[in-house]
Amino acid sequence: MKSGVELIEKLALCFGPCACEGEVEQAIREELAQSRATLSTDRMGNLTAHLAGPEGAPRIMLSAHMDEVGFMITYIEKEGFLRFDTVGGIDRAVISGRAVLLGDETKRIPGVIAAKGIHQQTAKERKALPELSDLYIDIGTKSREETEKVLERGDFGVFDTRFARFGKEGAYIKCKALDDRLGCAVLIEVLRAVEEKALPLDLWFCFTVREEIGKSGAGVTANRLQPDFGIIVETTAIADVADVEPARRVATVGEGGVLSLLDRSTVYDRALIDFALETGAKYAVPVQVKRYVSGGNDAAHVQRSGAGVRCMALSAATRYLHAPVSVAAVRDYENMIGLLTHMLTDWKEELK
């Protein structure tokens, strides 16, 4: 059983693009095997861990998505090269020359995304980003027949990135898929922290699928559970880097979990936000408010499920989201766990 940074590493390195989340689910099941939560997986692939509360207790859905952005093979050239499309929002500027892993739930084939070399490009081509149609994946084969022995159209791919701590005293982590394996790790640690407290809450820890393409497993889960409250644990794209004005930086790495007031798809419950801020102040747990309206997450699907759900999003400020390498702060991870644990332990009766 892993915890802390080791838990994030285990989950982040799993192969889990949209519609291929099985390895992530299995890793989470391993981590929760000794908990007293009841585990179940629905026909879409969403995993839930239930800590049952007393009859009539507030039903709270805590949700993080298991999938990551990636690629899907669409065609195999006669020379063995693979054409592909992206699965989720990936900037073309960050993919050429990147190492990838290709396959499905059982196989892993290394490759590299490539394009026409700079020495063969025209002056006009050097000034523009290559289109996806100009890129291909090389797995070291020489023919379509050789490639088809190991891969086929419809197989998936993810960035092949090692996990590392860096910065002073290892204050930061970098890897692929921190969106949202860091959130999944938070949920696991919070479940462990509260499972022996016998709280007067009906708690559902939900590890969902297909967030990155908008075909949300969280919406399916919420319609099934019909929660009173939804807490979405995510990462949020930020811009706390040079040459970005403060008001547009969204949030700051290392200053606590990020609470959203509004994004492109959800208006968040102000009473929940105030409760989170009060809890952070009470226990000296850093928490910050998102200072730019952008993005969206599974809260949109959860909020609009059933008869409606009161929602809050708590995110890790993360640099370079959806890139081969994302960066987050270890202390933000720890503070998100602390804040959610205190919130559940001190849950307000008046929130009903």
Side-chain angles (χ1 to χ4, degrees), residues 279-314:
T279 303
K282 179 179 178 180
Y283 292 100
V285 177
V287 60
Q288 56 186 313
V289 175
K290 192 171 179 178
R291 53 184 183 264
Y292 190 70
V293 176
S294 62
N297 55 55
D298 274 337
H301 303 276
V302 175
Q303 186 181 60
R304 300 201 243 306
S305 67
V309 180
R310 297 173 64 180
C311 284
M312 183 189 96
L314 181 68

Side-chain angles (χ1 to χ4, degrees), residues 58 60 201 229 231 272 275 343-349 351:
I60 301 174
L201 302 171
F229 301 94
I231 298 176
L272 279 176
F275 177 42
M343 286 181 68
L344 295 178
T345 303
D346 290 3
W347 194 262
K348 285 185 171 184
E349 185 74 16
L351 283 173

Side-chain angles (χ1 to χ4, degrees), residues 3 42 65 92-93 171 176-177 224 279-280 294 301 340 346 352:
S3 62
D42 65 20
H65 66 88
R92 286 180 290 124
K176 72 172 184 69
R224 176 168 56 87
T279 303
S294 62
H301 303 276
L340 291 176
D346 290 3
K352 290 184 179 180

Side-chain angles (χ1 to χ4, degrees), residues 90-339:
I90 303 177
D91 186 351
R92 286 180 290 124
V94 303
I95 63 177
S96 185
R98 297 292 182 174
V100 292
L101 281 177
L102 305 172
D104 55 21
E105 302 287 15
T106 61
K107 60 190 175 186
R108 301 287 180 271
I109 306 298
V112 62
I113 297 175
K116 183 191 294 186
I118 192 169
H119 299 91
Q120 284 77 46
Q121 294 175 13
T122 65
K124 182 179 179 180
E125 287 173 332
R126 292 184 185 187
K127 294 179 180 179
L129 286 175
E131 299 293 332
L132 276 180
S133 58
D134 297 324
L135 300 172
Y136 57 89
I137 299 174
D138 184 351
I139 64 167
T141 54
K142 296 181 179 180
S143 67
R144 177 182 294 131
E145 292 73 22
E146 187 179 355
T147 296
E148 287 177 339
K149 291 179 181 178
V150 291
L151 291 169
E152 59 185 336
R153 286 182 296 171
D155 280 343
F156 291 97
V158 297
F159 292 117
D160 187 5
T161 309
R162 72 183 184 93
F163 186 97
R165 293 188 72 161
F166 71 115
K168 186 178 180 180
E169 298 179 348
Y172 300 94
I173 54 175
K174 57 181 180 177
C175 193
K176 72 172 184 69
L178 295 183
D179 177 17
D180 187 30
R181 306 291 165 67
L182 186 149
C184 291
V186 168
L187 258 58
I188 292 170
E189 301 246 42
V190 173
L191 187 156
R192 291 171 179 168
V194 303
E195 65 177 336
E196 300 302 330
K197 293 180 180 288
L199 300 177
L201 302 171
D202 193 39
L203 297 175
W204 294 82
F205 294 81
C206 305
F207 304 89
T208 62
V209 299
R210 303 184 192 182
E211 190 267 356
E212 295 295 1
I213 57 170
K215 308 302 182 184
S216 168
V220 172
T221 303
N223 276 303
R224 176 168 56 87
L225 300 182
Q226 297 186 23
D228 301 301
F229 301 94
I231 298 176
I232 285 66
V233 183
E234 255 283 13
T235 57
T236 187
I238 61 169
D240 67 332
V241 294
D243 301 324
V244 177
E245 59 191 87
R248 296 178 63 87
R249 293 190 178 194
V250 183
T252 304
V253 171
E255 293 190 1
V258 184
L259 293 168
S260 298
L261 301 177
L262 172 73
D263 60 32
R264 297 301 183 191
S265 55
T266 307
V267 178
Y268 293 93
D269 188 275
R270 193 53 190 254
L272 279 176
I273 294 167
D274 289 344
F275 177 42
L277 292 170
E278 292 165 9
T279 303
K282 179 179 178 180
Y283 292 100
V285 177
V287 60
Q288 56 186 313
V289 175
K290 192 171 179 178
R291 53 184 183 264
Y292 190 70
V293 176
S294 62
N297 55 55
D298 274 337
H301 303 276
V302 175
Q303 186 181 60
R304 300 201 243 306
S305 67
V309 180
R310 297 173 64 180
C311 284
M312 183 189 96
L314 181 68
S315 303
T318 307
R319 294 173 182 153
Y320 327 125
L321 217 58
H322 290 194
V325 180
S326 296
V327 171
V330 176
R331 64 177 298 191
D332 286 344
Y333 171 72
E334 295 168 344
N335 286 324
M336 290 170 68
I337 295 167
L339 181 69

